[in-house]
């Protein structure tokens, strides 16, 4: 799901600073199940095998990862630092129902195995909207001493609409992002939308992205089909997949659509395939309240804690510091930090306990009349570089969720705000936010295509593995349990706080279990647990 930060009035200020704090869902029955490097005889909508052959039989031309695989100047500096990386482009049909009507170009990166390769391990870092190209380069570095990267070519791709894949979702420019003038979502914010606002959002995204048709082709089901084309183009009869956060949704949908084409599937930070949009978003925000409380308890051990030495009143103390920002933002890095910016920055830091000291320092700074530290947290999580460039993760996240998530009425969005603040009171601005609460996907040019629940009663799926931290703030353990139940997966629980863990490569217990599964297809015993 998205978290976009806005002012409380109707003037569109500071609205481009969006945070991706969760995800979406849905279920169109799909029977396409490729068990070789060619597609099944018939796709979900009757697409013929012959029409898809040019895509499934394409030969990938690996080469240097040049500037067209990098979204920012920082990416251009990062990619050459990864040893032996290679990049290529995968052609896919824009519309699988009419593959003759245009093609897309998927950016793909490969980090070769350090040892003898067992084949490709396809990776998705989450989002939705996260770059698999940059994500794979980063994750491979985190697993640099793991048997996983010793045994597999680590492969990442930018999904439809994301990063350097073409076409790319584009709803605003860097200058607008800097000014904070682009509204994208309503939940978790104080912004007020009109129906004209939500229509204008979609029209602008369509205009900048290449037309309404592009907006309708970025759902998870289309990306899962792209992933099957990638499997074939990599020369594999079966897919070995590693997905984190939103990547677990993508993996589960692929498993539903192509169960016979799965070799192994490691799903880290599992999304609940049975949970609808409303409950999933509320539960994620409730998870952030739990993380806020844990952070406050840790802070309370210090006499100089800006939230006080009594964790029981930490939320109240936080309100005293940040609620004045609703009417009076503070200066921050040449712009202004609003209430929504401050809450979004705190949420960004709550993903990882290592960021808690930065949150505390930022809250203290706001109490002193400045917002630089929290704005840096917000910028970092939202994908802004030091030079002022913005990646398109927020825009892609918005578009993908519009194609995945069920739509909510204005009454439901207002209820979502109210329920969110009851379950996550630290986010409550203390003002009425129900007026002007609208689903910004309400004028999207196509209905959602995912369906809830999805990936249920999948037949022919081999053993899979779900991993979950016990105190994950945005994809709670309960959702991972439902994902494991839906897919019949083995489950590894990890005692600790944070969001996703396998790609960090810092825990021997986790790495041993993950490696044994991916390499030898050995699943852990029931009740398997590791501790951070």
């Amino acid at each position: 799901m998205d978290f976009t930060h806005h002012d409380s009035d109707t003037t569109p200020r500071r609205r481009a600073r969006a945070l991706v704090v969760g995800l979406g869902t849905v279920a169109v029955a799909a029977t396409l199940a490729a068990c070789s490097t060619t597609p099944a005889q018939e796709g979900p909508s009757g697409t013929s095998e012959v029409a898809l052959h040019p895509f499934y039989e394409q030969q990938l031309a690996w080469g240097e990862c040049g500037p067209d695989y990098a979204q920012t100047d920082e990416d251009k500096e990062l990619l050459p630092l990864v040893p032996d990386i290679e990049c290529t482009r995968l052609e896919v049909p824009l519309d699988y129902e009419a593959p003759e009507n245009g093609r897309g170009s998927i950016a793909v990166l490969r980090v070769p195995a350090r040892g003898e390769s067992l084949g490709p391990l396809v990776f998705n870092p989450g989002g939705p909207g996260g770059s698999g190209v940059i994500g794979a380069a980063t994750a491979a570095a985190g697993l640099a001493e793991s048997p996983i990267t010793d045994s597999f070519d680590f492969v990442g791709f930018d999904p439809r609409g994301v990063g350097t894949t073409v076409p790319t979702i584009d709803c605003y420019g860097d200058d607008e992002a800097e000014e904070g003038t682009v509204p994208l979502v309503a939940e978790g914010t104080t912004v007020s939308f009109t129906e004209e606002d939500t229509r204008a959002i979609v029209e602008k995204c369509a205009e900048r992205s290449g037309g309404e048709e592009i907006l309708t082709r970025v759902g998870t089901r289309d990306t899962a089909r792209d992933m099957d084309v990638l499997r074939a183009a990599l020369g594999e009869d079966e897919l070995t997949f590693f997905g984190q956060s939103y990547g677990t949704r993508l993996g589960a949908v692929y498993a539903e659509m192509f169960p016979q084409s799965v070799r192994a599937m490691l799903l880290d930070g599992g999304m609940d395939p049975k949970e609808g949009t409303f409950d999933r978003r509320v539960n994620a925000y409730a998870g952030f309240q739990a993380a806020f409380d844990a952070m406050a308890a840790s802070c309370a051990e210090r006499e100089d804690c800006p939230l006080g030495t009594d964790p029981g009143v930490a939320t109240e103390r936080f309100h005293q510091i940040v609620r004045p920002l609703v009417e009076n933002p503070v200066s921050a890095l040449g712009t202004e930090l609003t209430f929504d910016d401050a809450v979004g920055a705190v949420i960004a830091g709550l993903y990882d306990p290592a960021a808690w000291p930065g949150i505390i320092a930022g809250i203290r700074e706001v109490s002193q009349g400045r917002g630089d530290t929290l704005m840096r947290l917000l910028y970092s999580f939202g994908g802004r570089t030091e030079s002022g460039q913005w990646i398109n993760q927020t825009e892609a996240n918005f578009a993908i969720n519009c194609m995945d998530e069920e739509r909510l009425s204005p009454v439901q969005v207002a209820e979502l705000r109210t329920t969110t603040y009851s379950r996550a009171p630290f986010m409550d601005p203390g003002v009425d936010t129900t007026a002007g609460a609208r689903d910004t996907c309400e004028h999207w040019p196509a209905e959602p295509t995912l369906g809830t629940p999805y990936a249920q009663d999948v037949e022919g799926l081999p053993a899979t593995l779900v991993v979950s931290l016990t105190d994950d703030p945005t994809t709670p353990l309960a959702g991972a349990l439902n994902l494991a139940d839906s897919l019949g997966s083995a489950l590894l629980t990890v005692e600790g706080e944070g969001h996703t863990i396998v790609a960090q490569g810092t825990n021997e217990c986790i790495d041993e279990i993950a490696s044994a599964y991916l390499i030898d297809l050995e699943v852990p015993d029931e009740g398997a647990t590791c501790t951070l």
Side-chain angles (χ1 to χ4, degrees), residues 10 58 98 339 435-436:
T10 57
Q58 67 187 285
F339 174 85

Side-chain angles (χ1 to χ4, degrees), residues 57-327:
E57 295 179 351
Q58 67 187 285
Q59 300 294 311
L60 298 178
W62 295 97
E64 292 185 0
C65 296
D68 59 332
Y69 292 93
Q71 294 188 70
T72 66
D73 291 340
E74 281 81 351
D75 290 349
K76 293 175 185 177
E77 295 175 0
L78 166 67
L79 292 177
L81 299 179
V82 182
D84 303 319
I85 62 165
E86 304 168 294
C87 287
T88 191
R89 291 277 172 176
L90 176 80
E91 289 195 343
V92 297
L94 287 177
D95 182 355
Y96 277 93
E97 297 181 7
E100 70 281 3
N101 291 343
R103 297 186 173 197
S105 173
I106 305 294
V108 186
L109 173 143
R110 177 171 67 183
V111 182
R114 296 190 311 278
E116 183 176 354
S117 178
L118 296 174
L121 171 60
V122 176
F123 173 71
N124 180 277
S131 168
V133 166
I134 301 303
T138 304
L143 294 168
E145 298 182 3
S146 168
I148 295 173
T149 49
D150 189 57
S151 302
F152 290 100
D153 301 326
F154 211 78
V155 175
F157 68 100
D158 286 352
R160 287 178 172 237
V162 175
T164 58
T165 279
V166 179
T168 302
I169 297 298
D170 182 9
C171 297
Y172 51 78
D174 284 357
D175 55 342
E176 295 171 284
E178 283 294 296
E179 294 170 3
T181 57
V182 186
L184 288 183
V185 298
E187 68 275 4
T189 73
T190 60
V191 70
S192 177
F193 286 98
T194 67
E195 186 173 2
E196 289 72 23
D197 291 333
T198 60
R199 182 179 288 107
I201 291 169
V202 176
E203 289 175 351
K204 188 170 185 179
C205 290
E207 178 184 359
R208 294 181 63 97
S209 302
E212 287 190 352
E213 184 71 11
I214 301 303
L215 303 186
T216 71
R217 301 298 172 187
V218 295
T220 295
R221 290 197 177 276
D222 276 327
T223 295
R225 299 193 72 177
D226 292 344
M227 199 156 67
D228 197 57
V229 174
L230 176 60
R231 167 197 62 77
L234 290 169
E236 299 297 312
D237 290 340
E238 295 177 319
L239 176 73
T240 302
F241 178 75
F242 172 21
Q244 295 189 296
S245 193
Y246 163 80
T248 70
R249 178 209 279 170
L250 177 59
V253 170
Y254 183 90
E256 176 194 305
M257 297 176 73
F258 304 95
Q260 303 296 334
S261 294
V262 174
R263 173 188 172 270
M265 191 164 281
L266 173 59
L267 306 175
D268 179 18
M271 290 187 63
D272 190 340
K274 302 178 181 180
E275 197 171 42
T277 294
F278 189 101
D279 289 339
R280 179 172 43 260
R281 298 186 181 196
V282 168
N283 288 339
Y285 289 128
F288 284 109
Q289 180 68 51
F292 180 90
D293 293 341
M295 178 197 69
S298 175
C299 179
E301 297 175 1
R302 300 170 46 182
E303 289 294 329
D304 63 345
C305 176
L307 298 177
T309 57
D310 179 2
V313 298
T315 293
E316 181 181 348
R317 291 290 294 270
F318 181 68
H319 287 163
Q320 292 171 358
I321 295 170
V322 300
R323 279 183 171 177
L325 301 178
V326 172
E327 298 294 337

